[in-house]
Amino acid sequence: MKLKRRRLLQCAAALSLIGTRSWAVTEAAFGDFTVHSVSDGKLVLPVGFLTVPGDDQTEAREILSEAGISGESFDSPLNLTLMTRGDEKILFDTGSGSGFMPTAGKLTEALAAIDISPDQITHIVFTHAHPDHIWGALDDFDEPAFANARHMIGRVERDYWLDPATPGRIDSDRLSFVAGAKRRIETLGDLLEVFEDGDEVLPGIRAVMTPGHTPGHASFDLDGQLFVIGDVVTNPHLAFRRPDILSGSDQEPEIAAKTRIKVLNFLSESNINILGYHLPDGGIGKVRRDGGGFAFITG
Ligand SMILES: [Zn+2]
């Protein structure tokens, strides 16, 4: 992998027009394709989100304070993976659009900074249907924001959000997630194709089911060279040091922790590059074993 200079200058210039810099673009080249980490901005989340209420918080607090997180909230970056291969422009997830958080929904601006318009995207591949990953699929007029793209989602994930039983089973503070995902999945209609675990969703791109964050969460192996991990790891501190600590951001925390440990073992053993949706510095790096846990290495 050849990591190119981060395009901070270009983005900073573009953003000076709107007065705030909340995203950057990082680019890496692999064999016959290029990957951009394209930022949708960031989420500002309560620190309590990193653990599960009722669990012993002592160790988690120590690790977080070492990572400089001591207040009530923390910033969580939003890194979309854009794979360019020949004429294909394949975007993993769509960001959150304008309706989720004021600090997010910057994707269109970030794409513009690398001279790409939403109409040029040929494929959208979803990791899962949480707001920060799928709400940007529709524009402010409820039309598909990526009008020329084929859209793909895991069958288990699609069926979960459409299941009439889901609103009765999900935490009440996530009810808006159900309505938001359902509306987008239904509006995309025939534009949305489904895939199964292990499917090659496009040549050289294999879906790997990594459940727990959501029931049908998917990761993607890009030609054995880059692993798009989505939200298998939702933060750079606790989840690497102690992947077994349950996270409040996961809908099925025990299953998610098992998935996280399994995936981190695979990533550290295979030495493959990863792109993590909520990881720092564009989220491109590698996973190494570190003491009893793991570490995320960039650069
Ligand atoms: Zn997420």
Side-chain angles (χ1 to χ4, degrees), residues 225-246:
Q225 302 199 60
L226 182 92
F227 210 74
V228 177
I229 65 167
D231 281 11
V232 170
V233 178
T234 51
N235 67 77
H237 17 70
L238 269 184
F240 285 106
R241 283 274 295 276
R242 286 289 307 274
D244 58 313
I245 290 182
L246 303 187

Side-chain angles (χ1 to χ4, degrees), residues 4-298:
K4 296 190 181 167
R5 187 173 69 88
R6 298 183 77 203
R7 296 196 178 192
L8 285 171
L9 287 176
Q10 185 180 357
C11 296
L15 277 165
S16 63
L17 298 172
I18 55 171
T20 122
R21 197 182 83 187
S22 52
W23 44 263
V25 179
T26 306
E27 183 180 345
F30 302 87
D32 67 345
F33 66 93
T34 301
V35 163
H36 286 94
S37 167
V38 187
S39 174
D40 192 43
K42 65 177 182 179
L43 302 180
V44 181
L45 298 172
V47 168
F49 211 56
L50 291 165
T51 51
V52 169
D55 283 3
D56 182 7
Q57 313 285 321
T58 318
E59 203 167 352
R61 274 207 211 98
E62 274 172 27
I63 294 170
L64 289 172
S65 109
E66 276 175 37
I69 295 175
S70 51
E72 294 289 302
S73 64
F74 71 102
D75 289 352
S76 182
L78 303 165
N79 311 308
L80 282 82
T81 303
L82 174 67
M83 177 186 188
T84 304
R85 182 174 61 181
D87 294 336
E88 295 174 313
K89 287 188 170 46
I90 305 156
L91 188 60
F92 293 82
D93 297 327
T94 58
S96 60
S98 59
F100 186 48
M101 268 191 199
T103 51
K106 316 294 183 193
L107 174 62
T108 311
E109 296 157 46
L111 286 173
I114 48 172
D115 298 321
I116 294 175
S117 71
D119 287 351
Q120 292 176 283
I121 301 296
T122 56
H123 302 82
I124 300 283
V125 185
F126 291 108
T127 59
H128 65 296
H130 274 166
D132 51 325
H133 298 257
I134 201 173
W135 282 19
L138 299 184
D139 64 18
D140 290 346
F141 304 97
D142 263 6
E143 300 284 343
F146 302 89
N148 298 322
R150 281 173 61 194
H151 293 61
M152 289 170 253
I153 193 169
R155 183 185 52 77
V156 174
E157 184 72 3
R158 181 201 63 179
D159 290 354
Y160 169 76
W161 295 104
L162 295 181
D163 185 345
T166 296
R169 290 189 188 137
I170 201 166
D171 284 354
S172 57
D173 55 1
R174 287 195 171 110
L175 275 173
S176 66
F177 291 15
V178 184
K182 189 166 181 282
R183 185 156 66 82
R184 282 154 183 90
I185 290 167
E186 288 177 345
T187 304
L188 288 171
D190 291 343
L191 279 179
L192 190 59
E193 304 162 25
V194 293
F195 56 79
E196 306 283 349
D197 187 16
D199 278 0
E200 230 183 345
V201 297
L202 286 165
I205 303 176
R206 189 169 55 88
V208 181
M209 284 300 129
T210 42
H213 182 70
T214 60
H217 184 281
S219 302
F220 299 93
D221 183 333
L222 276 47
D223 216 14
Q225 302 199 60
L226 182 92
F227 210 74
V228 177
I229 65 167
D231 281 11
V232 170
V233 178
T234 51
N235 67 77
H237 17 70
L238 269 184
F240 285 106
R241 283 274 295 276
R242 286 289 307 274
D244 58 313
I245 290 182
L246 303 187
S247 169
S249 72
D250 297 326
Q251 287 191 214
E252 298 168 311
E254 283 92 2
I255 297 172
K258 279 196 190 115
T259 294
R260 193 158 49 243
I261 292 164
K262 189 174 153 196
V263 171
L264 288 172
N265 273 317
F266 158 72
L267 295 172
S268 62
E269 279 158 22
S270 64
N271 200 34
I272 192 171
N273 296 285
I274 69 165
L275 204 158
Y277 201 84
H278 296 290
L279 299 184
D281 301 325
I284 300 178
K286 288 188 175 183
V287 176
R288 300 247 193 279
R289 284 197 175 278
D290 186 32
F294 300 88
F296 177 55
I297 313 291
T298 58

